Amino acid sequence: MTTKYYIGTAGWSYKDWVPNFYPKNQSGGFDWLQFYSHYFNCVEVNSTYYTYISPKIVEGWIKKVDNADDFIFQIKLHQDFTHKRKFDEQNIKAVRYNLDLLRKAERLGGLLIQFPYSFAFDGSSVQHIQKIRDIFSDVSCFVEVRHSSWRNNRALEFFKQNDLTLCTIDQPQIGQTIPFEPIITNDKAYIRFHGRNVEAWKKSLSNFGKEQTYEEQSSRYSYLYSPGELVEIAQKIKSIESKVKEVNVIMNNHPKGDAVANAFELIHLLEEKTKVEMPETIVKAYPRLVEILVN
């Protein structure tokens, strides 16, 4: 069985990716998603967590990736379902309509259901995930929990019985954070990287609930993984390769384009591509990438 890798970033529309990834001089017809999809085969959509996206926008995404054969979208579920835990039939329809649009176009990877650190393992938490699973029973669901209380046999058995993928996450180890250790609960793996910026993460936690600028909110994700860290990460991911048919690797260390640079490096390591196609913008911003650049 050949394992399929989907490697990309969390979001693609960041102004601070210019000029480190997107060129500074852009023609009128230049499109960021189109450019992005030339180099990567998936993207995790973050905007769907904050707002209910218009179907017209989703149709636009589908058209923009027309030339990218195996490109897929992973859709992050709206915070009404995960953080606020208050949603109605209209909310469900809004999410489902867009999922169906992507599925019909064969562009849907699945649904990322991300819960906060405060969402610890107990009976009501399990019931809540079950409720969401029942609503989206025909969609691949990737569940991210951040509290180490979920690392127990009862929780893992629940994930397996409901065909849910337990996300593997890498983030600073603070408090009872779940450690970076791939655990397989079905035939897919979903691995998210939030960086290892311990100090910025602690500061962000202390400012929780306060009004923050975009830069302040993003600072905890500001982290460039070193080549040594990436080799260790790749070895861990490779160790589960034979157990799954699909591995999704998402870089969320987005400030300045660090996620893009690291995603290219993981394509090199995981897909065992001696050389990787990259735009000159990223190589200029991250000179170490020249070693894996296609000539």
Side-chain angles (χ1 to χ4, degrees):
M1 180 175 71
T2 307
T3 305
K4 174 71 175 174
Y5 276 97
Y6 287 102
I7 301 172
T9 63
W12 71 87
S13 186
Y14 299 103
K15 289 177 182 175
D16 61 355
W17 284 15
V18 179
N20 290 2
F21 180 51
Y22 301 121
K24 196 170 185 179
N25 298 318
Q26 299 172 12
S27 65
F30 185 87
D31 184 81
W32 288 9
L33 178 57
Q34 207 167 39
F35 183 86
Y36 174 96
S37 66
H38 180 76
Y39 298 100
F40 298 106
N41 63 358
C42 76
V43 74
E44 184 184 278
V45 183
N46 279 332
S47 53
T48 49
Y49 169 81
Y50 298 101
T51 186
Y52 292 97
I53 299 286
S54 153
K56 282 188 177 177
I57 289 174
V58 178
E59 286 165 358
W61 295 344
I62 293 166
K63 284 176 187 168
K64 286 169 185 177
V65 301
D66 196 42
N67 292 326
D69 290 346
D70 61 347
F71 192 89
I72 59 168
F73 294 88
Q74 310 289 11
I75 300 299
K76 191 171 180 180
L77 187 58
H78 197 284
Q79 61 185 327
D80 285 348
F81 292 81
T82 55
H83 289 57
K84 297 177 182 176
R85 285 185 253 169
K86 285 182 180 176
F87 54 90
D88 57 27
E89 200 59 41
Q90 205 164 347
N91 300 142
I92 295 168
K93 281 181 181 175
V95 174
R96 176 161 291 288
Y97 192 86
N98 286 337
L99 293 176
D100 288 345
L101 277 177
L102 288 165
R103 185 177 20 216
K104 283 172 193 166
E106 297 183 347
R107 296 295 186 184
L108 178 64
L111 189 64
L112 171 66
I113 306 165
Q114 182 209 302
F115 290 99
Y117 173 77
S118 58
F119 188 76
F121 174 78
D122 61 24
S124 66
S125 295
V126 169
Q127 283 178 351
H128 187 69
I129 294 177
Q130 181 74 66
K131 186 178 180 181
I132 293 174
R133 182 55 173 149
D134 290 344
I135 292 166
F136 301 106
S137 58
D138 55 346
V139 178
S140 292
C141 289
F142 313 114
V143 180
E144 177 178 318
V145 287
R146 297 183 173 184
H147 197 276
S148 60
S149 60
W150 288 91
R151 289 177 67 85
N152 69 75
N153 290 332
R154 278 172 59 209
L156 296 183
E157 197 53 42
F158 164 72
F159 273 77
K160 287 174 184 175
Q161 286 175 359
N162 287 278
D163 191 25
L164 291 162
T165 301
L166 174 62
C167 288
T168 300
I169 57 172
D170 185 65
Q171 67 175 63
Q173 294 298 295
I174 300 168
Q176 291 180 280
T177 307
I178 208 160
F180 177 64
E181 199 60 56
I183 295 172
I184 304 307
T185 53
N186 62 3
D187 63 357
K188 295 183 180 183
Y190 201 97
I191 307 170
R192 302 184 81 222
F193 292 90
H194 300 302
R196 297 174 178 178
N197 192 334
V198 178
E199 290 312 310
W201 205 275
K202 283 179 180 175
K203 190 177 178 183
S204 176
L205 290 175
S206 66
N207 289 330
F208 183 75
K210 297 176 187 173
E211 201 170 315
Q212 297 180 72
T213 64
Y214 169 76
E215 285 72 22
E216 287 169 337
Q217 287 176 328
S218 301
S219 64
R220 67 172 172 171
Y221 300 111
S222 183
Y223 187 83
L224 180 69
Y225 287 87
S226 71
E229 286 173 323
L230 292 172
V231 167
E232 281 182 28
I233 284 165
Q235 286 171 346
K236 279 198 175 183
I237 295 174
K238 281 283 183 185
S239 70
I240 60 161
E241 194 179 68
S242 61
K243 300 172 186 172
V244 291
K245 67 178 185 183
E246 179 182 305
V247 180
N248 299 274
V249 178
I250 301 293
M251 306 307 296
N252 190 33
N253 53 326
H254 59 81
K256 303 185 300 292
D258 288 353
V260 180
N262 285 156
F264 280 128
E265 290 175 306
L266 283 175
I267 288 172
H268 167 69
L269 292 168
L270 294 171
E271 296 189 7
E272 294 172 8
K273 289 188 175 178
T274 328
K275 301 291 180 182
V276 181
E277 185 189 357
M278 295 177 274
E280 58 184 37
T281 47
I282 199 81
V283 182
K284 188 178 177 184
Y286 300 87
R288 76 188 196 199
L289 296 179
V290 75
E291 292 177 23
I292 61 169
L293 175 66
V294 166
N295 295 325

